[in-house]
Amino acid sequence: MTVAIHPFDALMDITARPPVVFARGEGAWLWDDAGKRYLDFVQGWAVNCLGHSPPAIADALAAQAKLLLTPSPAFYNGPSVKLAKALVDQSCFRQVFFTNSGAEANEGAIKLARKYGALHRNGAYEIITFEGGFHGRTLATMSACGKKAFEPLFEPKVPGFPKAKLNDIDSVKRLIGDKTIGVMLEPIQGEAGVWPATDEFLQALRALTTEQGLLLIVDEIQTGIGRTGKLFHYEHAGITPDIMTLGKGIGGGVPLAALLATEAASCFAHGDQGGTFNGNPLMCAAGLAVLQQVAQPDFLKAVTGNGLFLESELQRLSARHGLGSVRGKGLLLALDLKRPIGAAIVAEGLQDGVLLNAPQPDTLRFMPALNVTRDEIMQMITMLDTILRKLGVARCVG
Ligand code: PLP
């Protein structure tokens, strides 16, 4: 017997969703099924680095779909070989394992570090992670997260993730013991509200982990693929990590992520790692289309320039409304609202046709397409200005 339910109710209720169905996207813009247009500064949570449905990705997917979808992960395929080589050529890493989500890439990084510990450090398995950190929603990656709200969930957690404090090297030193195999962090904590690790901290971590024979693992799922103005964020600090994970932007909107390791750290043996869809040619063709554009020096220069432009416009807006500071790098920025009005702004934005994100009650996070234009940035600023006035936040200075 078919029970009459609202179509929305056929989906598991895992998050509060507004009653809007998105139907189409182009660049910085989304349309719902009633034809209403929205300026999108969320972009699937920093995923659509070339904007919605860019021709380069649509064409690459269409062409690859006609050629080959999935031969089997136990065979080579052209796009995955090409994409792995391109990533290796443009990074400090030697080998790549493709995954279907960021969490799966991090799960792989954790397994790789534990394998390294089994081979080289008497079975050491602990990975020091950070308060506020976010690494995904599998059981091991949730255990690696330093997100308070996850603490009571799905007990017992996977053991082996002691938490240090970001930008406090002594807090890391205090946690190192016989069982430690590595340190894992986001160079900018995204979900926590865009809290950057300083370059000095990243350098100190590299020096400490090298001295102690530990692995340095960077989760660049949010910061990688040009988001902060360099292809990979670790380049800002001039360090070379042992393991890196990528996700979000690497597929430009399709489910693709990656685990990268240096020659010394790349120690999986046959049977240690795998997965039916890993490195399938369809997703890797999209990844190649993304990398061909994002890795261009002029593209990265424009990200830096537009990031500085967005930052200065947010600072001006903040001064007009008596809000707090702007933090982050490139096109991953946050505005401190100094009051818990994030959700109200997001709700007003949806009404007014601008999509914004509040990872914390007092924080707005901006993660537009990497090819966002200055005109689109100014349109968002104007709409946000209107919302702040509507909510009565303005001090009426400007
Ligand atoms: N790591 C970081 C830094 C992230 O921001 C995210 C997603 O927000 C993840 C891991 C998990 O990636 P996914 O949602 O693709 O599993």
Side-chain angles (χ1 to χ4, degrees):
M1 196 178 75
T2 315
V3 183
I5 57 165
H6 190 283
F8 289 167
D9 292 338
L11 288 168
M12 286 195 190
D13 191 22
I14 51 96
T15 188
R17 294 183 175 107
V20 176
V21 177
F22 286 106
R24 186 166 74 82
E26 192 181 321
W29 299 91
L30 268 177
W31 285 262
D32 67 21
D33 62 358
K36 180 174 166 184
R37 189 171 87 137
Y38 303 78
L39 178 57
D40 187 2
F41 267 64
V42 179
Q43 289 287 351
W45 291 343
V47 164
N48 306 309
C49 55
L50 302 178
H52 287 286
S53 298
I57 294 184
D59 292 349
L61 286 170
Q64 186 58 43
K66 286 184 196 146
L67 279 177
L68 180 63
L69 291 175
T70 292
S72 148
F75 295 127
Y76 291 115
N77 72 73
S80 80
V81 170
K82 271 195 209 147
L83 183 57
K85 181 72 168 63
L87 288 168
V88 162
D89 286 347
Q90 293 179 72
S91 71
C92 64
F93 302 99
R94 174 71 178 75
Q95 290 191 312
V96 183
F97 174 73
F98 291 112
T99 67
N100 310 294
S101 70
E104 192 190 349
N106 282 338
E107 188 86 19
I110 293 163
K111 283 173 68 177
L112 191 63
R114 286 187 171 199
K115 178 75 195 259
Y116 187 91
L119 290 174
H120 304 296
R121 281 181 71 102
N122 295 322
Y125 64 90
E126 280 188 1
I127 299 173
I128 297 168
T129 57
F130 289 83
E131 289 173 14
F134 185 82
H135 301 291
R137 290 174 179 276
T138 63
L139 203 46
T141 55
M142 276 184 98
S143 309
C145 289
K147 190 174 159 132
K148 279 262 169 274
F150 283 179
E151 276 175 18
L153 301 179
F154 310 118
E155 291 294 303
K157 293 280 189 319
V158 175
F161 299 101
K163 306 288 180 303
K165 285 189 193 325
L166 194 69
N167 294 324
D168 178 348
I169 196 72
D170 288 334
S171 75
V172 181
K173 285 183 188 162
R174 281 196 292 274
L175 294 175
I176 295 175
D178 288 352
K179 298 268 173 282
T180 312
I181 191 55
V183 178
M184 174 160 121
L185 81 164
E186 304 161 78
I188 298 177
Q189 289 190 341
E191 286 298 302
V194 188
W195 294 102
T198 63
D199 286 351
E200 296 71 33
F201 181 66
L202 289 169
Q203 288 154 5
L205 266 186
R206 177 67 287 185
L208 177 66
T209 47
T210 302
E211 177 198 298
Q212 300 279 334
L214 304 175
L215 298 169
L216 179 60
I217 306 167
V218 287
D219 174 346
E220 294 233 21
I221 285 160
Q222 196 156 141
T223 55
I225 308 293
R227 177 62 47 190
T228 67
K230 299 259 188 211
L231 193 52
F232 308 113
H233 184 287
Y234 71 78
E235 298 170 45
H236 289 291
I239 59 163
T240 57
D242 301 294
I243 295 174
M244 173 172 74
T245 51
L246 297 172
K248 294 185 182 282
I250 189 177
V254 304
L256 177 67
L259 161 65
L260 295 89
T262 58
E263 184 152 17
S266 189
C267 59
F268 279 144
H270 290 184
D272 286 346
Q273 186 66 329
T276 301
F277 293 115
N278 296 62
N280 71 77
L282 190 66
M283 298 305 122
C284 289
L288 274 170
V290 166
L291 201 62
Q292 268 156 19
Q293 289 198 29
V294 174
Q296 298 297 329
D298 283 354
F299 187 98
L300 292 169
K301 222 163 106 186
V303 172
T304 302
N306 287 336
L308 290 171
F309 180 73
L310 174 58
E311 190 178 340
S312 75
E313 288 302 326
L314 285 172
Q315 278 161 351
R316 279 155 52 101
L317 183 84
S318 177
R320 272 204 302 280
H321 291 274
L323 304 176
S325 60
V326 180
R327 50 180 190 264
K329 216 178 191 66
L331 286 169
L332 178 57
L333 296 175
L335 171 62
D336 178 1
L337 298 164
K338 293 214 320 218
R339 35 178 104 45
I341 54 170
I345 292 174
V346 170
E348 283 293 329
L350 191 74
Q351 293 300 318
D352 290 4
V354 60
L355 300 181
L356 299 166
N357 169 258
Q360 301 294 326
D362 61 356
T363 306
L364 285 183
R365 174 174 47 168
F366 302 86
M367 40 197 165
L370 298 184
N371 55 6
V372 67
T373 65
R374 293 197 180 194
D375 180 50
E376 288 157 351
I377 290 173
M378 282 319 297
Q379 288 186 62
M380 184 279 293
I381 293 284
T382 304
M383 291 169 100
L384 182 52
D385 189 66
T386 305
I387 292 166
L388 290 168
R389 282 174 200 277
K390 239 196 295 182
L391 291 176
V393 179
R395 287 189 315 182
C396 299
V397 181

